[in-house]
Amino acid sequence: MSGPHRTPKSSSGRPGRTTGHGRGRGPRTSPARERRVKGESLVGTEAELEVGNVGHGGFCVGRLDGRVVFVRHSLPGERVRVRITEGGTGDRFLRADAVEVLVASPHRVEPPCPYAGPGRCGGCDWQHASLPHQRELKAAVVREQLDRLAGLDVEGLVVEPVEGTGADDGLGWRTRVEFAVTAEGRAGLRRHRSHEVEVVDDCLIATRPVIDSGVLATSWDGCSGVDVVDASGLEEAVLVPLHADGTAGADPTALELVGFEDWEHGFEVSARGFWQVHPGAAATFLAEVVELLDPVEGEHALDLYCGVGLFAAGLSDAVGESGHVLAVEADAKAVDHALDNLAEHANVEVRQGRVDAVLGQAARGGIRADVVVLDPPRSGAGRRVMGQITQLGPRAVAYVACDPSALARDLAVAEELGYLLTDLRAFDAFPMTSHVECIALLEPAGEAADAEVDEDAEGDEDAEGDEDAEGDEDEETARRAP
């Protein structure tokens, strides 16, 4: 991608408060909060409409009698018959499924999975689109979000495949799957925005060891779900049954192996803890971050929201014995694993706590930061953390983002504080879904702006939840729909 260009910001392009703190990556494993219908319910109503641009969240945008409709199972330019799935006569926008395609897009294909379709499994969004077009749609979403929320023109951006699954067909990549369980003890996957479980006998985006574990052929009486983890350092997948309250009786440790070029490292991580679900993602992202930051011997680095220590390990070797890495993570179990994973890296210090709290304490102690890795939860880092980072004056910040809207909001804040986006890559780490991973490089624009940071402002870790952020984004999408 060529360097990003500035575009004027509209009044709606200002960053809002970042909400939510979900640590996961990729499709949500729990259903979204149910919307309250305004007016008379329109659920079940059918109509024909033209489908317009792609939206952020796995749908395209159409209009019905002047009202915005978010249409799943459709593609831009199609004419479809839709069935309303959410909303009423008083709502600003409706949700719908395309139940019949009257004029098809040239990019439409037959979904490879029999469970992908209106009213069925909600795990995938784009099985009806060719894989190249899926990536075009994701790139369009990233470009729109950065334009609208940060005033950035990244027109040359493309979404690149992630190696690590053999054939590039969008299948067989998901190494971690949380299956839901019916009252009868059958394992399956939740339907879109629903608590209902679609019982399945296969999941084509899961790796074969996940399915070969027998999870779908086992009776799980008394369980609400079961997690299956196909870790690269284990011979067989690990199964973790969940109690009715969603907790696990045991959370075994899995081993993940990461290597790129001549660098290799093993990482212990809880089976239910955070790890990238695509088998090639961890190595791809680590290699990209190291290349972008280009850390050198003796530099000081920060790894924020460090998880079990993936980026800290790579930074440690790059800055050498005369350098230093401070890794920060709030989750206590992840910190325990990070301490073990980084035990042989004498130049790494791991601290547990909220990122804003640890950074505040470290800044008062005179911490130095030449380079920073920022890998926040889906809701982003937020204004306070972005301000703390820029006040340290690093020469480069690598931002790893699983949500383009959160990335855009944080980039807008960074610009206010004197740091500009100078490079951006996007990766298709979640084929067949609407999710995309971005890695951005931020560098100081000459002398950083002398902007104040509100130390009392709430960070993302105090926010209310991803559902609220999603609702705000949907409302904005509806407001701006042509």
Side-chain angles (χ1 to χ4, degrees):
M1 187 201 80
S2 59
H5 302 284
R6 304 300 312 160
T7 56
K9 290 180 181 176
S10 66
S11 59
S12 63
R14 306 305 301 170
R17 185 171 76 95
T18 304
T19 58
H21 60 283
R23 186 72 180 109
R25 292 286 196 267
R28 190 193 308 271
T29 55
S30 58
R33 187 182 307 172
E34 196 170 313
R35 280 176 62 204
R36 180 179 299 174
V37 174
K38 297 179 181 178
E40 183 179 349
S41 173
L42 294 174
V43 173
T45 302
E46 294 192 3
E48 293 183 14
L49 54 78
E50 301 283 348
V51 178
N53 294 336
V54 62
H56 179 27
F59 55 81
C60 295
V61 181
R63 280 193 177 272
L64 178 61
D65 298 330
R67 186 179 287 109
V68 173
V69 186
F70 298 157
V71 187
R72 276 174 59 82
H73 311 292
S74 66
L75 293 174
E78 292 187 328
R79 182 166 185 82
V80 297
R81 174 171 290 279
V82 302
R83 181 179 299 131
I84 305 301
T85 57
E86 286 185 33
T89 54
D91 283 307
R92 182 190 296 269
F93 65 90
L94 309 172
R95 296 185 186 274
D97 284 339
V99 295
E100 182 182 359
V101 180
L102 305 174
V103 178
S105 163
H107 303 292
R108 177 172 284 275
V109 298
E110 186 68 24
C113 177
Y115 303 105
R120 305 297 298 275
C121 174
C124 293
D125 304 293
W126 299 121
Q127 289 218 8
H128 58 286
S130 68
L131 193 57
H133 193 54
Q134 292 181 33
R135 291 169 180 159
E136 291 172 354
L137 295 175
K138 295 182 186 187
V141 168
V142 175
R143 291 194 297 265
E144 188 275 335
Q145 293 292 300
L146 266 63
D147 178 25
R148 177 167 62 84
L149 296 174
L152 286 166
D153 177 4
V154 292
E155 190 59 35
L157 180 75
V158 297
V159 173
E160 307 169 46
V162 176
E163 297 182 359
T165 60
D168 185 23
D169 59 4
L171 304 176
W173 56 268
R174 192 173 182 96
T175 60
R176 292 169 173 254
V177 182
E178 181 178 330
F179 292 95
V181 174
T182 68
E184 296 74 31
R186 296 288 306 280
L189 297 162
R190 295 196 186 275
R191 294 170 181 166
H192 182 62
R193 297 178 61 84
S194 172
H195 292 275
E196 295 182 5
V197 178
E198 180 81 15
V199 175
V200 300
D201 58 15
D202 197 359
C203 175
L204 295 185
I205 66 170
T207 61
R208 285 305 90 191
V210 167
I211 304 304
D212 293 344
S213 69
V215 59
L216 298 176
T218 301
S219 177
W220 299 99
D221 291 335
C223 296
S224 63
V226 55
D227 283 354
V228 186
V229 178
D230 173 23
S232 59
L234 301 180
E235 293 184 359
E236 296 181 349
V238 174
L239 287 83
V240 185
L242 309 179
H243 301 315
D245 61 359
T247 61
D251 189 1
T253 297
L255 176 65
E256 298 285 359
L257 304 176
V258 179
F260 71 96
E261 296 179 353
D262 59 351
W263 189 91
E264 292 183 344
H265 204 294
F267 296 88
E268 292 186 351
V269 57
S270 298
R272 301 202 71 219
F274 169 71
W275 187 260
Q276 291 288 348
V277 296
H278 191 292
T284 298
F285 300 163
L286 178 58
E288 179 64 15
V289 163
V290 171
E291 180 178 349
L292 287 175
L293 291 179
D294 193 21
V296 299
E297 185 85 22
E299 286 195 313
H300 287 226
L302 293 179
D303 180 9
L304 306 180
Y305 311 93
C306 72
V308 300
L310 171 67
F311 295 114
L315 291 172
S316 169
D317 291 340
V319 302
E321 295 181 0
S322 61
H324 181 264
V325 180
L326 173 60
V328 184
E329 172 60 49
D331 183 78
K333 189 172 290 187
V335 168
D336 287 342
H337 286 303
L339 290 169
D340 290 338
N341 295 332
L342 301 168
E344 296 182 1
H345 297 262
N347 61 350
V348 177
E349 176 188 0
V350 181
R351 294 192 196 179
Q352 180 188 348
R354 285 173 40 135
V355 167
D356 58 349
V358 174
L359 278 183
Q361 181 184 41
R364 289 189 293 273
I367 188 177
R368 168 184 158 198
D370 299 298
V371 295
V372 177
V373 178
L374 182 61
D375 185 16
R378 184 174 305 284
S379 52
R383 174 172 288 273
R384 185 175 185 182
V385 170
M386 294 304 295
Q388 290 173 318
I389 292 170
T390 57
Q391 285 181 341
L392 293 173
R395 64 169 179 79
V397 178
Y399 189 131
V400 183
C402 62
D403 184 85
S405 61
L407 171 63
R409 290 191 294 267
D410 285 342
L411 290 179
V413 173
E415 185 195 3
E416 292 178 18
L417 303 176
Y419 276 73
L420 300 182
L421 175 67
T422 58
D423 203 347
L424 177 67
R425 292 182 72 182
F427 296 93
D428 193 14
F430 314 98
M432 303 292 173
T433 79
S434 61
H435 299 272
V436 60
E437 198 89 4
C438 295
I439 301 181
L441 178 65
L442 286 71
E443 296 177 292
E447 186 174 346
D450 185 20
E452 294 185 1
V453 178
D454 184 0
E455 290 295 327
D456 296 323
E458 290 184 307
D460 66 274
E461 292 158 294
D462 282 334
E464 297 176 1
D466 284 341
E467 291 85 355
D468 293 333
E470 180 186 60
D472 292 343
E473 184 65 36
D474 290 339
E475 289 286 352
E476 180 64 14
T477 301
R479 192 188 70 79
R480 290 175 55 86

